[in-house]
Amino acid sequence: MTVPGARRAQPGQGTTIGRIPVIKPSPVVENGAFPAKAAIDELFSIEATVFREGHDAVGAQVVLTDPDGASSVRPMRPVPPAGFDRWGARVGLDRLGSWRFRIEAYDDPFETWLHNAKIKIPAGIDVELMCAEGRELFEEAAGIARAAGDAAAVELLSSAARFLGVAVQVEDRLARARTDDVLAAMAVHKPRRLLTTTPEYPIFCDRRRALFSSWYEFFPRSIGAHRSASGHWVSGTFATAQERLEAAARMGFDVVYLPPIHPIGYSYRKGRNNTLQPGPEDPGSPWAIGNADGGHDAIHPELGTFDDFDEFVRTARSLGLEVAMDFALQASPDHPWVQDHPEWFSKRIDGSIAYAENPPKKYQDIYPINFDQDQDGIYAECLRLINLWVDHGVTIFRVDNPHTKPVDFWAWLLAEVRRTNPEVIFLAEAFTRPEMMHTLGKIGFHQSYSYFTWRNEKWEIIEYLTELSTQTDGFLRPNFFVNTPDILPTFLQSGSPTAFTIRAVLAATLSSNWGVYSGFELYEHTPLRHGSEEYLNSEKYEYRPRDFAGAEERGESLALLLGRLNELRREHPALQQVRDLHFHTTPHDQVLAYSKRVGDDLIIVVCSLDPHQVAETEVFLDMSALGFDDHDVLEVHDQLSGRRWRWGQRNYVRLTLEDPAHILTVTPPSAVTPSATRPDTSTAKPSGSGAS
């Protein structure tokens, strides 16, 4: 119950300690300057440190305010480990939009009385005095319930007050005051004194797709591309690319991401493998946007028309897919902006427009935009472009290199789009310094590329995922791409199917958002040169039609595993979030074990990190973290192989090159057959995995 008229500070004001100190509230981003992230039906914790002088009890509660201004109260409870005065409430938001929360802490005289009564009354100390104090508290609570119109609670609380004064055994009087229904009524209506309240802090609740998505990236121009009878390349189109939509849907993906689909510049066009000498049929990099056919508001003529694109989007939606579009704010030298708005670009001292550079690399085919010149014009044009593509059914944008543009620009643009189209999602493609990545998340990007691509060792995966799940979870949602057109991770360059399986399992189960660039399922693994992370014959610079169907028929495709991973992700809420992640102990430095849980849905993953060797080890489960006792016996079912075992606290696993991972669902102890009185050791042998 909120006490009317309680004073509270505002975010950003000088902080003063209230009568009951409330510090370190979370999730709070930059002292409330930006909203924390949540998604519809996502469960997360609101916490604060609450304490007071002396030994009297304190209590705390969260007051949530929805987008319409209606408030509700959620009780907070002590958060383990004990002794750190941390309080928390598990909450979930059910509506898209701007929410607020504040934390109220208070002196809790009833809990103080109850604690003292449980000690003093059995010891015969101050018995009648304790009963008198209890009667007063129950009568006060009954008055609060009466004011709230809760007649049932009034009766329960008044009856408990009366019973504390009758001439019966004092232990019976105390027992009557501690029945479940009385305590429940008291929890709602008990006196709350010395109320202290925090400022209100913002949370924005996004639609579910911002939290949980599976991305598949492909180049439409490559799907259906072929050589004509005369030997010339013919580009794929939106019509031919629809076959890849169907394949993405079969593999269980729900987002298809397209690199830029705009006209491509001719000046300084790059040839195969990023050379400076293009052939007459080299299509150029899609990121060199713009020519005489138009710029960011146009479609490459070889792909089709706007009507063709609209049909592509409709087909995707009919298959349960959303289309994500690349938003790359840069221009080729042939872009209409260069002629119409030369002031939008930086000039060198010789008067030429500066092209993009990352010395020693030069990108003569791309002009960066200078956002400090004609800010009003540039801002308005960028918003116009977003609205144009939203009108054509695009609801997700993958933003290219946002860390090379001003952060305040993104803060403005994302706020403007959120104001009119809060369903639109932005993914920040920023592999850069941590503070920039964090700030992009704070100012509004819904998802972010991550360092997962380069985290291969056990210790660094644990360290990084602990950061993502407990430290940055309020403002940064990672999207674990296993590869991109720019990045062929060293881990995959052996071409071992085991390596591809390992990275897919880790990405799909550690993060609620993950992505695959086409070719991954075909084990494409050849680098441009030794030590490079670039693909040989990169699709960025040439057509790359692939024989997906033939590879599946020959058993040379990972498509079935990708489909199974996405199926498990849809079936299990535990895999649809990042926050509730716990690592378990394995002595082997190349075996990772972790669990994720939401409510009754519990998933345990055990995965090898070595694509070249069989790994045998024990797995020591933290049973308390799983919600079980140390001696409980669980039945686990591997959702990849179909095998079942009985596991306890200590278990044996053998991970092979054919089966390098277990994704286990758990049958709790109460449901395990009576014969399972102890872990089954019969499977603890080289032919499989089991408990020992």
Side-chain angles (χ1 to χ4, degrees):
M1 178 179 175
T2 303
V3 175
R7 291 181 298 170
R8 56 179 179 270
Q10 295 299 319
Q13 291 183 347
T15 301
T16 57
I17 292 293
R19 179 62 184 85
I20 307 294
V22 185
I23 62 175
K24 301 177 183 177
S26 70
V28 174
V29 180
E30 297 294 341
N31 198 32
F34 303 105
K37 285 180 166 57
I40 290 175
D41 295 332
E42 176 189 14
L43 294 176
F44 63 98
S45 293
I46 295 178
E47 297 186 1
T49 299
V50 179
F51 58 94
R52 67 169 301 174
E53 81 289 347
H55 301 288
D56 285 357
V58 294
Q61 59 193 17
V62 173
V63 181
L64 278 172
T65 303
D66 69 19
D68 290 334
S71 295
S72 60
V73 177
R74 314 288 174 86
M76 301 178 77
R77 296 179 175 82
V79 173
F84 287 86
D85 298 315
R86 196 70 178 163
W87 289 69
R90 194 81 163 159
V91 303
L93 310 182
D94 58 3
R95 293 180 53 197
L96 180 73
S98 297
W99 292 66
R100 304 187 305 278
F101 78 90
R102 67 179 184 271
I103 295 169
E104 296 180 339
Y106 50 85
D107 168 52
D108 192 338
F110 176 73
E111 286 298 327
T112 300
W113 173 82
L114 193 60
H115 171 78
N116 293 337
K118 287 189 289 187
I119 296 172
K120 289 185 173 182
I121 288 178
I125 301 173
D126 296 334
V127 171
E128 292 305 322
L129 179 61
M130 293 305 302
C131 289
E133 290 177 353
R135 284 198 306 275
E136 183 177 1
L137 285 171
F138 277 108
E139 288 168 355
E140 184 177 352
I144 295 171
R146 188 175 294 107
D150 190 343
V154 171
E155 177 56 32
L156 285 169
L157 297 167
S158 298
S159 176
R162 290 192 299 271
F163 200 73
L164 281 171
V166 301
V168 297
Q169 188 75 17
V170 69
E171 288 80 7
D172 292 339
R173 285 186 264 171
L174 181 60
R176 178 70 173 271
R178 295 171 57 195
T179 62
D180 290 343
D181 53 356
V182 170
L183 291 178
M186 181 61 84
V188 177
H189 301 294
K190 63 184 173 183
R192 292 166 169 83
R193 300 170 182 166
L194 307 179
L195 187 82
T196 302
T197 183
T198 68
E200 284 198 318
Y201 296 105
I203 297 178
F204 195 90
C205 184
D206 295 304
R207 64 188 178 102
R208 188 75 178 170
R209 186 58 50 85
L211 171 69
F212 174 60
S213 61
S214 302
W215 292 52
Y216 185 79
E217 176 181 1
F218 69 90
F219 286 63
R221 74 184 185 186
S222 288
I223 310 304
H226 64 280
R227 289 193 180 273
S228 67
S230 60
H232 296 292
W233 273 110
V234 177
S235 173
T237 66
F238 288 126
T240 61
Q242 290 190 24
E243 80 172 50
R244 210 65 207 142
L245 291 178
E246 295 167 359
R250 285 196 302 273
M251 289 186 287
F253 292 98
D254 44 44
V255 176
V256 287
Y257 155 51
L258 310 181
I261 58 174
H262 314 297
I264 297 172
Y266 293 100
S267 298
Y268 304 103
R269 176 173 287 193
K270 296 298 183 69
R272 295 184 62 188
N273 292 314
N274 200 21
T275 64
L276 296 177
Q277 294 80 35
E281 292 193 293
D282 285 341
S285 168
W287 282 271
I289 298 171
N291 63 31
D293 293 317
H296 289 71
D297 54 1
I299 289 174
H300 197 301
E302 292 182 355
L303 292 175
T305 65
F306 269 99
D307 287 342
D308 297 324
F309 178 75
D310 293 343
E311 178 60 28
F312 181 86
V313 171
R314 283 192 293 270
T315 300
R317 287 181 175 172
S318 72
L319 295 168
L321 298 163
E322 290 189 54
V323 173
M325 184 173 173
D326 201 282
F327 191 54
L329 290 179
Q330 57 207 32
S332 88
D334 306 319
H335 196 294
W337 287 344
V338 177
Q339 294 298 320
D340 298 341
H341 297 283
E343 71 277 11
W344 290 1
F345 303 94
S346 297
K347 298 283 198 316
R348 291 164 145 343
I349 195 168
D350 63 1
S352 64
I353 294 178
Y355 54 76
E357 292 187 82
N358 185 12
K361 294 181 179 180
K362 296 183 178 181
Y363 304 95
Q364 298 93 330
D365 58 338
I366 293 175
Y367 287 168
I369 296 171
N370 187 329
F371 283 79
D372 295 318
Q373 299 177 167
D374 188 20
Q375 185 181 94
D376 291 345
I378 293 171
Y379 279 35
E381 174 68 355
C382 292
L383 181 59
R384 181 187 74 84
L385 292 172
I386 291 292
N387 289 334
L388 168 70
W389 292 106
V390 168
D391 288 343
H392 283 275
V394 177
T395 49
I396 303 176
F397 293 89
R398 177 268 199 192
V399 177
D400 188 69
N401 287 332
H403 57 290
T404 62
K405 286 78 178 173
V407 172
D408 62 342
F409 160 73
W410 292 121
W412 173 84
L413 181 67
L414 271 60
E416 285 296 304
V417 177
R418 176 171 278 175
R419 183 175 58 82
T420 58
N421 296 93
E423 76 283 359
V424 173
I425 293 169
F426 289 87
L427 166 64
E429 184 265 344
F431 297 114
T432 186
R433 301 181 307 279
E435 285 305 321
M436 174 60 82
M437 293 176 67
H438 292 174
T439 300
L440 290 171
K442 291 174 182 178
I443 57 96
F445 276 93
H446 303 76
Q447 299 179 13
S448 304
Y449 275 38
S450 74
Y451 299 141
F452 167 76
T453 317
W454 298 277
R455 296 296 187 265
N456 300 314
E457 298 299 325
K458 179 178 179 176
W459 69 267
E460 60 187 0
I461 292 174
I462 292 175
E463 180 183 82
Y464 188 44
L465 266 297
T466 299
E467 173 189 318
L468 292 175
S469 61
T470 64
Q471 299 171 27
T472 63
D473 54 298
F475 57 83
L476 188 143
R477 291 195 192 99
N479 193 319
F480 281 7
F481 267 80
V482 290
N483 66 328
T484 77
D486 294 298
I487 303 170
L488 169 60
T490 304
F491 191 88
L492 303 178
Q493 291 183 15
S494 68
S496 162
T498 305
F500 283 75
T501 297
I502 287 170
R503 295 303 286 179
V505 168
L506 292 175
T509 59
L510 282 170
S511 178
S512 57
N513 295 303
W514 80 304
V516 171
Y517 159 53
S518 61
F520 178 87
E521 67 269 45
L522 303 185
Y523 311 115
E524 290 182 359
H525 64 278
T526 306
L528 179 63
R529 58 185 173 272
H530 180 72
S532 172
E533 284 190 334
E534 297 177 81
Y535 283 91
L536 179 66
N537 301 326
S538 170
E539 194 172 6
K540 289 177 63 178
Y541 309 106
E542 61 182 275
Y543 300 111
R544 283 291 304 274
R546 298 173 172 94
D547 183 14
F548 293 104
E552 289 189 44
E553 291 175 2
R554 296 189 300 270
E556 299 171 355
S557 170
L558 205 63
L560 288 178
L561 175 68
L562 300 182
R564 181 60 179 146
L565 291 173
N566 282 325
E567 181 181 35
L568 290 172
R569 284 162 53 82
R570 288 193 305 272
E571 292 174 349
H572 292 281
L575 298 177
Q576 299 173 17
Q577 49 83 39
V578 177
R579 286 180 163 114
D580 294 309
L581 171 68
H582 188 85
F583 289 98
H584 300 265
T585 301
T586 60
H588 200 303
D589 65 359
Q590 291 292 303
V591 176
L592 186 69
Y594 50 94
S595 60
K596 301 183 85 172
R597 183 172 194 162
V598 169
D600 294 331
D601 186 46
L602 171 64
I603 296 289
I604 299 173
V605 179
V606 184
C607 187
S608 172
L609 303 178
D610 187 344
H612 307 296
Q613 303 289 334
V614 172
E616 297 184 65
T617 189
E618 289 182 300
V619 175
F620 296 89
L621 295 179
D622 183 344
M623 299 295 274
S624 63
L626 298 176
F628 304 125
D629 295 329
D630 287 348
H631 299 292
D632 281 338
V633 176
L634 316 174
E635 183 177 291
V636 297
H637 181 196
D638 184 6
Q639 297 296 314
L640 296 181
S641 70
R643 290 176 290 180
R644 297 177 183 269
W645 303 286
R646 287 192 292 274
W647 273 28
Q649 187 179 41
R650 179 180 176 184
N651 313 279
Y652 163 85
V653 297
R654 183 174 190 267
L655 301 173
T656 67
L657 301 187
E658 294 75 23
D659 295 301
H662 298 322
I663 301 178
L664 305 171
T665 54
V666 179
T667 301
S670 60
V672 175
T673 57
S675 61
T677 56
R678 64 184 181 86
D680 179 6
T681 60
S682 63
T683 52
K685 54 189 179 182
S687 61
S689 302
S692 62

